[in-house]
Amino acid sequence: MKKLLSRLDWSYFYSLLGEGTLALTFVFYIILARLLGPERYEIFTSAAALGAILSLFIQCGLPILIQREVAANPEEGSKYTIQFLLLEVLNVLPVLILLFPISQLLNYQGEGLIVCYLVVFAELCRQIKLTLRGVAKGMGWFRTETISVAIERLSVVLIACAVLFWTNNLVLVVASLVLVRLLENLGFIYYLSRKLTVWRAFNVNSLMGIYQMAFPFALSGVFWMLYYKIDLVMLKGMAETGETAFYSASYQIMEIFSALPRVVFYVIFSRLARYHANEPEKIPEQIYKATRVLLLLVLPSIVIAGFFQSYLVELLYGNEYSYSAQSLGILIPNISIDMFGMLVLQLFLATKREKYLPPLLILSTIINIVSNAILIPLLGSVGAALCTLFSSGVLCVIGLGIMSRLGYKKVGHKLQLIATMSLLLTTVPSLIMNGLQPQIGIALMIGSITVLVMLMRPRKFLA
């Protein structure tokens, strides 16, 4: 037993625990949805979506950049920490200036406008926390990172919920969220400064050098967030009242299951960066290990969730949100194809091939926006979910194609087949729930699992 335990990779375990704390945030969103009702909850979710998009201009790719630099060279990389935090604080200033005309264009008034500004400050605190987490993950301190994330999310949920029950005032709830994040960030900075050197002398030229390094990350991040969040913003402006709330409910459920592949990416990114700097010939082996964990950890969970999609919506949000099950039945299978697109992005970033990301994400974002403009007026939240699935497929196929041309030809082709079989496997439960004969569905699932097992044989995968 001791030998077995010594061979286990506890990094994945701690990352799983850290992402598991997202359940606290999920519970907080459910409480908000139930107490505020669809109309007021829509104000919060649409403002949060706008804040998430604007946050990309705050972070400018800095959290992921510092994680790569620390993983490749821990002693020197950690010295950039304070510089990165200073740049994020400076970046928020133009965002605050641009927020007012953007909010007026999107018809945010009164309470909604105040919430938008508070959400931007909350996003600044979140980006600072992501940067600090990047330092910890780059060092391989996944247990430390997990403890810090758990403290932050638990504090946010407890205090914000207390304010919500006490006042039922959305503005005060978001303000309390900002305050808690700010205080926790200060504590985490102090902790890291006791363990590492987080400061080095700098000037304007050194800050501009960091901007130049981070520019591909920043550009990719903008299109990545647009790719994921533009549907919520477009629903707010193009669909009937309530559609944004229904889609947000299904999206929040999907986000819980999307945390599972992020567990893998948190660990594999640092390792890819480390191996690229020291032993690049072992990168295909690391890709195989990441793929194996993705299939074993993620696919069973989302297959089971596919059979209980309606039950999940009604249990978590109530009968008032039952229509959300329609879009959830599309978003859950989307995870199976999206995670392989994300794996490609992690590879590009970790191996200093970030120049391939902007054109790939620009194409995917344009496809997502155009398809949303067509389908949202026709199908509402269901149309937005279909667009998300379609654009994820495009991103995955093209990304794996680029990967195949960069020296990973066999691995790229194997992943294309694996992604296709994964999508088929996870789509079957939704098809059965919508009228497909169970016998046909079970046959399709058995067939796809058989193909996946054959493709994942180590010698065949790494040939």
Side-chain angles (χ1 to χ4, degrees):
M1 180 60 70
K2 289 182 179 179
K3 185 177 180 180
L4 176 63
L5 291 175
S6 66
R7 294 181 63 185
L8 291 177
D9 193 336
W10 291 101
S11 298
Y12 289 109
F13 174 73
Y14 289 123
S15 292
L16 179 61
L17 286 181
E19 286 303 289
T21 60
L22 278 172
L24 296 170
T25 304
F26 184 58
V27 169
F28 175 58
Y29 273 68
I30 292 173
I31 294 172
L32 278 177
R34 286 180 174 271
L35 293 184
L36 297 177
E39 291 188 9
R40 293 184 67 204
Y41 182 62
E42 185 172 292
I43 294 174
F44 174 76
T45 55
S46 57
L50 178 61
I53 293 173
L54 294 175
S55 71
L56 271 299
F57 299 95
I58 299 173
Q59 67 160 254
C60 282
L62 296 172
I64 193 72
L65 174 60
I66 199 168
Q67 182 180 346
R68 189 183 75 181
E69 296 303 308
V70 172
N73 190 341
E75 185 175 344
E76 291 298 319
S78 64
K79 294 179 181 179
Y80 288 99
T81 303
I82 297 299
Q83 294 182 51
F84 279 39
L85 299 183
L86 175 61
L87 289 175
E88 288 171 343
V89 172
L90 294 176
N91 291 341
V92 80
L93 300 178
V95 171
L96 292 173
I97 295 173
L98 292 173
L99 180 58
F100 184 76
I102 293 174
S103 61
Q104 295 302 299
L105 181 65
L106 295 173
N107 199 29
Y108 289 98
Q109 302 291 335
E111 182 184 49
L113 180 61
I114 298 174
V115 169
C116 282
Y117 272 93
L118 288 173
V119 163
V120 168
F121 285 108
E123 286 296 332
L124 170 62
C125 294
R126 191 172 75 90
Q127 299 312 320
I128 290 174
K129 183 56 179 285
L130 288 175
T131 301
L132 299 175
R133 289 174 64 187
V135 175
K137 287 185 287 189
M139 295 295 299
W141 297 347
F142 290 98
R143 182 172 65 177
T144 299
E145 189 236 355
T146 295
I147 294 172
S148 174
V149 170
I151 291 173
E152 178 208 0
R153 289 174 177 163
L154 180 61
S155 301
V156 164
V157 171
L158 290 178
I159 295 176
C161 282
V163 174
L164 177 64
F165 282 111
W166 184 31
T167 66
N168 198 28
N169 187 309
L170 181 58
V171 172
L172 293 180
V173 170
V174 182
S176 65
L177 186 151
V178 174
L179 179 61
V180 173
R181 284 183 174 177
L182 175 62
L183 294 176
E184 200 281 332
N185 281 338
L186 293 175
F188 198 21
I189 292 172
Y190 176 75
Y191 174 84
L192 290 177
S193 67
R194 298 292 300 272
K195 300 288 184 180
L196 300 167
T197 303
V198 297
W199 168 270
R200 69 186 306 171
F202 63 91
N203 52 39
V204 175
N205 289 333
S206 63
L207 293 179
M208 294 303 297
I210 294 175
Y211 270 128
Q212 291 177 359
M213 291 174 59
F215 179 74
F217 293 83
L219 188 60
S220 300
V222 170
F223 286 105
W224 184 250
M225 186 57 67
L226 283 172
Y227 169 73
Y228 268 106
K229 296 296 185 181
I230 196 64
D231 44 7
L232 282 168
V233 177
M234 293 181 71
L235 273 169
K236 176 72 166 58
M238 301 177 66
E240 296 179 1
T241 301
E243 287 286 343
T244 306
F246 293 134
Y247 185 73
S248 180
S250 62
Y251 202 91
Q252 290 299 322
I253 296 175
M254 183 201 71
E255 278 286 292
I256 290 297
F257 294 97
S258 295
L260 295 175
R262 285 201 298 271
V263 168
V264 182
F265 299 138
Y266 287 155
V267 178
I268 196 63
F269 179 81
S270 294
R271 292 187 178 171
L272 288 173
R274 191 171 295 119
Y275 276 103
H276 176 71
N278 301 290
E279 299 176 277
E281 70 279 1
K282 292 186 178 181
I283 285 180
E285 182 182 348
Q286 294 300 313
I287 295 174
Y288 170 77
K289 291 180 179 179
T291 303
R292 183 177 60 190
V293 177
L294 284 172
L295 295 179
L296 293 175
L297 179 66
V298 180
L299 288 193
S301 302
I302 58 180
V303 167
I304 295 172
F307 285 111
F308 294 95
Q309 52 196 249
S310 298
Y311 179 74
L312 284 172
V313 171
E314 294 179 7
L315 174 67
L316 297 173
Y317 287 91
N319 294 330
E320 193 175 11
Y321 288 84
S322 59
Y323 182 69
S324 298
Q326 299 294 321
S327 54
L328 182 61
I330 301 169
L331 291 175
I332 286 180
N334 173 70
I335 299 172
S336 64
I337 193 80
D338 183 62
M339 65 185 185
F340 290 103
M342 292 175 64
L343 179 59
V344 173
L345 300 187
Q346 299 296 312
L347 175 67
F348 290 168
L349 291 172
T351 58
K352 298 187 177 181
R353 295 182 173 100
E354 56 267 19
K355 66 179 181 180
Y356 292 102
L357 264 63
L360 176 60
L361 291 173
I362 288 172
L363 176 61
S364 301
T365 303
I366 291 174
I367 291 173
N368 197 18
I369 292 174
V370 172
S371 56
N372 270 304
I374 295 172
L375 291 184
I376 284 178
L378 297 175
L379 301 174
S381 56
V382 174
L386 287 171
C387 295
T388 298
L389 177 60
F390 175 63
S391 55
S392 294
V394 171
L395 175 65
C396 179
V397 171
I398 298 177
L400 289 173
I402 296 173
M403 175 182 170
S404 299
R405 297 185 182 93
L406 294 177
Y408 309 102
K409 184 176 181 180
K410 299 259 183 180
V411 173
H413 290 165
K414 293 288 192 310
L415 288 178
Q416 286 179 334
L417 294 173
I418 290 170
T420 301
M421 290 298 102
S422 300
L423 179 61
L424 175 60
L425 175 63
T426 55
T427 301
V428 169
S430 295
L431 295 176
I432 292 176
M433 299 301 292
N434 285 278
L436 179 68
Q437 292 184 4
Q439 299 89 335
I440 298 176
I442 292 173
L444 290 172
M445 293 178 71
I446 293 174
S448 58
I449 291 173
T450 302
V451 174
L452 285 173
V453 171
M454 294 175 62
L455 291 170
M456 284 302 296
R457 289 182 297 177
R459 291 184 180 179
K460 186 175 181 64
F461 190 97
L462 296 171

